[in-house]
Amino acid sequence: MLVQDRAVPKSPKPPQNRKLPTVQPNRLSEPKNLDFSAWVPDNCYRIVTILVLILTIAAVFFIYSSTNTAFLLCLQSETQSAVDSISLPQINWNSIKPVPDRTSPYANFRSEQWVVVSVSNYPSDALKKMVKIKGWQVLAIGNSRTPSDWSLKGAIFLSLDMQANLGFRVVDHLPYDSYVRKSVGYLFAIQHGAKKIFDADDRGEVIDNDLGKHFDVELVGEGARQEVILQYSHDNPYRTVVNPYIHFGQRSVWPRGLPLENVGDFGHEEFYTEVFGGKQFIQQGISNGLPDVDSVFYFTRKSGLEAFDIRFDEHAPKVAFPQGMMVPLNSFNTLYHSSAFWALMLPVSVSTMASDVLRGYWGQRLLWEIGGNVAVYPPTVHRYDRIEAYPFSEEKDLHVNVGRLIKFLVSWRSNKHRLFEKILELSYAMAEEGFWTEQDLKFTAAWLQDLVAVGYHQPRLMTLELDRPRANIGHGDRKEYIPQKLPSVHLAVEETGVVSSEIGNLIRWRKNFGNIVLIMFCNGPVERTALEWRLLYGRVFKTVVIFSAQKNSDLAIEEGQLDQFYKHLPKIFDRFSSADGFLFLEDDTVLNYWNLLQADKTKLWITDKVSMSWSTASTKGSSDWYSKQAELVRKVVSTMPVHFQVNYREVVRSDQSLTICSSEIFYIPRWFVADFVDLVNLVGHLDIHQKVSIPMFFLSMDSPQNFDSVLSTMVYKPEAQSANSSSTHYSAHAPAVHPWKVSSEQEFIKLIRIMGEGDPLLTELV
């Protein structure tokens, strides 16, 4: 899915053909007397020219080929200095001069209702139908890929040249070949009397050619629907983002911009509340056919050649979102009322697939400052799947940052007294936090000044409800609505009633493990598998924290060393202080979570009954490594408090033996977290290996007879034996399987297909 034929933003200035300086060769003259003393003065300028050329070539070669560490550190230092030098733009709002339309043929044209769409190709069938919608003026915004002879009767078309002549400040910041040039269109519409703007896509057909069928086009006056709106409950203040597709009947589909850790939330609402209408200044419509989904969904839910045709419940009621709760918004099926026109700005420094989503979250947070809210409506358009290449790399800004962005926005506060000042301050804060760059901060300043210049008046601020004590939701305030469960077609297999039970299983697993933190250590190429691991296990566990030998901030991969990884665990325990427990897993071990339901989450789990994983070695005559590890263990045990030491001595009676556990998988319940932290502190800076420290800790915390035996039946094969037959030793009936190597997306798909025996819903992912 290419949303509005989005392409990677390029430099805002078109490339110019640069001619390299050429040196004209000297013509051969008649032979002269080769008197060196006379030749040098006569040819001095030639010598200088040649030396300059040689030095220039050497300098260019050095710049392009040098990998000198000091040079890279210098660049890094300069980059950091650029970040540190971000400054908040200072704007004199009273000195902004009006910008009237003096150049376009539409200077005297006025309309209150506009459809703004980006066009890169000749008019589509959907766009030809859109111009016939009664009462709405279509405005088509061109870019560098738009045909020069683009024309459509009934539509206003703004070419690049026309856009440049309008006098808007934002034009200087916009890439030439991107849909984000729609920002010019928004300003043009406001300049020409807009009161409502429908942000559209040229392949979305408006259902029944009537935007008022579901959208609330009028919020006040005679045409307004004076009614209360169903609203998500604010009962859980920690629930900050919601998948609205569940409300409209599609529980296994999620919108682009939803954090992947929330993909597994399949359950419908226990109850809703209600809110008076009239403040839903941003209205997001649902799209039938190809809804707004991300590339993870698009690539993993189809084989490649068939087109999506997903339908939503058109009879489901619209639903609003209270302050503190957000929803992904897009730029191809969204209605903006004038009070929210400032929220139309499309960021320019992020990837194109992230621009409208970041805009949506940014705008929602600021919408709360004027007492407005967002509402999602039943299907308003039908978009056809063109089965085109889907740019996963364009979504990096989403999958890496969106969860952190939502938390940041909900907690953000401002003491400014005017909306535009708050907008500028938030954009500055987001640049500082790295959600976008200083380019978007400057773009925000230009956007706000252009809004003032075209005659837009900023709305008045309201008291932020987030800072008020939340009223208790009484029984009479609870409104029940149970969404339909519409069938979905994935991989040409239609869901049936069986899916309901499969989703019921997933809900049961989520309920059982939803407050357990999964900690993964990846030995393989984490950049190829991190998102897949989060997608697989994030459906079940509270969260998936991934470590690797090398840090990757873009993928939220933390750095750690496996040999002493236990020393990282106390920090994770503190980070998730409300979790019921912590499950550690290496990426060469597959977890069959459906076989863990009977395990006691208040007990320790480890592979003490798996002979190939747990062993005791004598240190007499053993190698230096075993002897040194045993000596370090004796040192720690001698300093243990009595309860730890007694437990340990009951099992390990000889100082000449060393207990070793491969420790690919183990579980620590909340009850034992404090004990584990105490033992880590006793080790301190001693160089005790993970395979030695973990069994020592477990034997010290409790007696092995009290360990839960859930892992005793796991499949455990030696690495060499399973190297060429990993698929043959997998069992869906075991709690875990070791080893299983996953180093690429293809190997991950193979794993998912095999795991589908235990969790059939996984087959939808491949």
Side-chain angles (χ1 to χ4, degrees):
M1 176 189 70
L2 284 174
V3 178
Q4 301 193 24
D5 297 331
R6 302 178 180 184
V8 179
K10 299 181 181 178
S11 171
K13 294 186 177 180
Q16 299 176 347
N17 294 325
R18 298 182 178 178
K19 295 183 179 180
L20 295 175
T22 57
V23 179
Q24 297 293 337
N26 297 315
R27 297 180 181 273
L28 294 175
S29 58
E30 295 294 328
K32 297 182 179 179
N33 184 14
L34 297 178
D35 185 348
F36 188 75
S37 60
W39 182 84
V40 171
D42 292 343
N43 296 275
C44 182
Y45 77 95
R46 293 187 179 92
I47 296 173
V48 173
T49 301
I50 291 172
L51 289 174
V52 170
L53 284 174
I54 292 173
L55 291 173
T56 302
I57 293 171
V60 171
F61 177 80
F62 173 78
I63 291 174
Y64 278 92
S65 62
S66 175
T67 56
N68 185 274
T69 304
F71 179 69
L72 295 177
L73 289 174
C74 180
L75 288 179
Q76 183 178 1
S77 177
E78 290 178 1
T79 302
Q80 184 62 41
S81 298
V83 173
D84 294 339
S85 65
I86 294 176
S87 58
L88 182 67
Q90 301 298 318
I91 300 174
N92 184 348
W93 303 102
N94 296 323
S95 66
I96 300 173
K97 296 180 180 180
V99 177
D101 181 3
R102 293 194 178 98
T103 60
S104 80
Y106 315 102
N108 297 321
F109 178 79
R110 294 291 182 272
S111 177
E112 292 189 354
Q113 300 181 152
W114 291 74
V115 177
V116 179
V117 59
S118 173
V119 292
S120 298
N121 300 303
Y122 287 107
S124 63
D125 291 338
L127 195 56
K128 292 175 182 177
K129 294 179 181 178
M130 207 175 294
V131 296
K132 298 179 181 179
I133 300 178
K134 186 178 180 180
W136 290 82
Q137 175 59 52
V138 172
L139 175 60
I141 306 301
N143 55 58
S144 60
R145 293 177 289 133
T146 310
S148 58
D149 59 344
W150 196 98
S151 178
L152 177 62
K153 184 178 179 181
I156 294 176
F157 172 62
L158 295 182
S159 65
L160 286 177
D161 290 339
M162 295 177 69
Q163 296 171 38
N165 292 329
L166 291 173
F168 297 148
R169 296 170 178 83
V170 297
V171 174
D172 294 334
H173 301 269
L174 297 172
Y176 276 85
D177 63 347
S178 173
Y179 82 100
V180 300
R181 298 195 69 85
K182 291 171 76 174
S183 293
V184 174
Y186 306 142
L187 291 169
F188 184 88
I190 298 169
Q191 185 184 53
H192 291 78
K195 301 298 182 186
K196 300 108 184 175
I197 294 178
F198 179 54
D199 208 5
D201 178 18
D202 67 348
R203 59 170 157 164
E205 293 187 2
V206 176
I207 296 176
D208 295 335
N209 241 27
D210 181 10
L211 286 171
K213 180 177 181 179
H214 289 305
F215 280 131
D216 289 314
V217 176
E218 302 295 339
L219 293 180
V220 294
E222 295 181 0
R225 297 170 180 148
Q226 303 296 332
E227 58 183 2
V228 293
I229 303 175
L230 212 60
Q231 179 177 257
Y232 283 97
S233 166
H234 61 260
D235 190 50
N236 181 2
Y238 301 104
R239 189 185 185 199
T240 55
V241 65
V242 172
N243 178 1
Y245 290 174
I246 299 173
H247 177 84
F248 293 96
Q250 287 293 352
R251 58 208 179 281
S252 59
V253 186
W254 65 89
R256 178 172 54 95
L258 186 75
L260 288 181
E261 56 264 31
N262 295 94
V263 166
D265 296 337
F266 286 98
H268 65 78
E269 300 301 301
E270 181 181 350
F271 63 89
Y272 295 80
T273 59
E274 288 182 332
V275 64
F276 287 108
K279 295 290 186 178
Q280 59 274 31
F281 301 140
I282 301 179
Q283 303 174 14
Q284 177 65 65
I286 298 289
S287 301
N288 277 336
L290 177 62
D292 184 25
V293 294
D294 61 23
S295 59
V296 175
F297 181 93
Y298 194 84
F299 273 137
T300 58
R301 297 298 182 101
K302 63 188 301 185
S303 60
L305 295 179
E306 78 284 2
F308 273 128
D309 188 12
I310 300 174
R311 303 302 176 105
F312 293 85
D313 182 9
E314 65 175 341
H315 301 294
K318 59 194 171 190
V319 59
F321 292 77
Q323 291 189 14
M325 185 179 292
M326 294 185 170
V327 62
L329 303 178
N330 59 52
S331 61
F332 55 77
N333 186 18
T334 314
L335 180 65
Y336 284 77
H337 284 262
S338 59
S339 294
F341 279 173
W342 47 266
L344 282 162
M345 183 195 80
L346 287 164
V348 295
S349 69
V350 298
S351 61
T352 53
M353 296 298 290
S355 181
D356 56 346
V357 173
L358 264 64
R359 173 187 77 172
Y361 285 127
W362 169 83
Q364 286 177 78
R365 174 59 188 87
L366 292 162
L367 196 63
W368 301 342
E369 301 288 343
I370 61 172
N373 58 31
V374 170
V376 179
Y377 289 72
T380 49
V381 302
H382 187 106
R383 299 176 72 244
Y384 293 94
D385 185 2
R386 295 173 179 170
I387 320 176
E388 296 173 337
Y390 196 64
F392 179 83
S393 60
E394 277 290 280
E395 290 185 353
K396 183 182 73 172
D397 296 323
L398 291 181
H399 299 308
V400 172
N401 286 326
V402 69
R404 185 170 67 93
L405 172 63
I406 293 170
K407 294 178 182 177
F408 167 78
L409 290 173
V410 172
S411 63
W412 178 80
R413 296 293 185 273
S414 170
N415 58 7
K416 298 295 184 181
H417 301 294
R418 300 179 69 187
L419 177 62
F420 281 11
E421 292 175 350
K422 286 180 180 286
I423 293 174
L424 203 58
E425 186 177 47
L426 178 56
S427 296
Y428 172 76
M430 288 177 60
E432 281 194 317
E433 293 292 327
F435 296 115
W436 57 34
T437 71
E438 187 179 14
Q439 182 183 3
D440 271 314
L441 175 59
K442 295 178 179 178
F443 183 56
T444 304
W447 166 257
L448 295 176
Q449 292 177 83
D450 281 339
L451 283 175
V452 175
V454 297
Y456 182 75
H457 299 287
Q458 56 181 308
R460 296 177 59 184
L461 297 175
M462 303 282 286
T463 303
L464 193 66
E465 293 181 9
L466 275 180
D467 295 332
R468 299 177 183 174
R470 291 291 182 105
N472 293 327
I473 302 175
H475 181 74
D477 298 324
R478 301 187 177 200
K479 304 299 177 183
E480 183 175 331
Y481 172 74
I482 300 177
Q484 289 194 40
K485 294 182 179 180
L486 300 180
S488 294
V489 178
H490 306 307
L491 297 178
V493 178
E494 187 168 349
E495 293 180 354
T496 63
V498 177
V499 175
S500 298
S501 63
E502 293 170 352
I503 290 181
N505 287 335
L506 184 59
I507 294 173
R508 188 165 69 253
W509 300 330
R510 177 72 181 184
K511 184 176 181 180
N512 192 72
F513 302 112
N515 204 28
I516 302 296
V517 174
L518 179 65
I519 306 166
M520 287 197 69
F521 190 94
C522 290
N523 296 287
V526 69
E527 69 279 358
R528 300 180 186 174
T529 57
L531 290 177
E532 285 82 355
W533 288 128
R534 285 197 175 99
L535 181 61
L536 171 61
Y537 293 128
R539 301 155 61 247
V540 176
F541 293 94
K542 177 183 181 70
T543 191
V544 180
V545 182
I546 299 181
F547 280 79
S548 181
Q550 292 186 340
K551 182 177 181 179
N552 189 323
S553 299
D554 289 342
L555 295 175
I557 306 301
E558 303 180 42
E559 183 179 3
Q561 297 302 319
L562 182 59
D563 290 353
Q564 296 188 19
F565 185 78
Y566 60 93
K567 294 182 179 180
H568 293 278
L569 293 178
K571 292 183 179 179
I572 303 177
F573 297 160
D574 287 342
R575 191 188 313 173
F576 300 97
S577 58
S578 63
D580 293 336
F582 301 84
L583 180 62
F584 175 82
L585 183 72
E586 289 188 45
D587 65 343
D588 61 354
T589 302
V590 176
L591 183 67
N592 293 337
Y593 41 82
W594 52 87
N595 293 321
L596 301 178
L597 288 175
Q598 304 305 318
D600 190 338
K601 292 182 293 182
T602 64
K603 293 185 176 182
L604 296 166
W605 309 351
I606 200 167
T607 54
D608 62 307
K609 295 181 175 61
V610 180
S611 59
M612 291 186 181
S613 173
W614 183 287
S615 61
T616 301
S618 173
T619 58
K620 291 182 179 180
S622 60
S623 66
D624 289 342
W625 186 86
Y626 285 95
S627 298
K628 291 179 180 178
Q629 290 293 306
E631 178 60 31
L632 294 175
V633 168
R634 285 193 292 271
K635 185 178 296 186
V636 172
V637 171
S638 66
T639 62
M640 286 181 179
V642 61
H643 58 288
F644 288 149
Q645 194 168 146
V646 168
N647 285 338
Y648 183 81
R649 293 296 186 189
E650 284 183 356
V651 180
V652 184
R653 301 183 182 277
S654 171
D655 288 338
Q656 302 301 318
S657 63
L658 183 67
T659 303
I660 299 174
C661 178
S662 56
S663 305
E664 293 92 357
I665 179 173
F666 56 85
Y667 170 76
I668 304 169
R670 168 59 59 186
W671 178 261
F672 287 97
V673 162
D675 288 347
F676 191 96
V677 173
D678 289 343
L679 289 166
V680 172
N681 291 334
L682 286 177
V683 172
H685 297 293
L686 297 179
D687 190 16
I688 300 182
H689 197 280
Q690 168 113 338
K691 294 182 179 181
V692 176
S693 63
I694 293 300
M696 177 182 69
F697 290 174
F698 272 61
L699 295 176
S700 302
M701 289 189 291
D702 203 357
S703 171
Q705 65 185 12
N706 293 329
F707 296 170
D708 194 288
S709 60
V710 64
L711 298 177
S712 62
T713 57
M714 75 173 286
V715 174
Y716 198 101
K717 301 289 184 181
E719 297 280 346
Q721 178 180 337
S722 61
N724 299 319
S725 59
S726 58
S727 61
T728 60
H729 71 261
Y730 177 82
S731 171
H733 303 290
V737 177
H738 173 87
W740 191 286
K741 300 291 186 181
V742 176
S743 59
S744 66
E745 293 182 6
Q746 291 74 20
E747 292 178 356
F748 183 80
I749 291 174
K750 179 181 177 182
L751 170 63
I752 291 298
R753 286 173 176 162
I754 294 179
M755 291 180 69
E757 181 183 350
D759 182 0
L761 278 181
L762 288 177
T763 58
E764 290 192 355
L765 299 178
V766 296

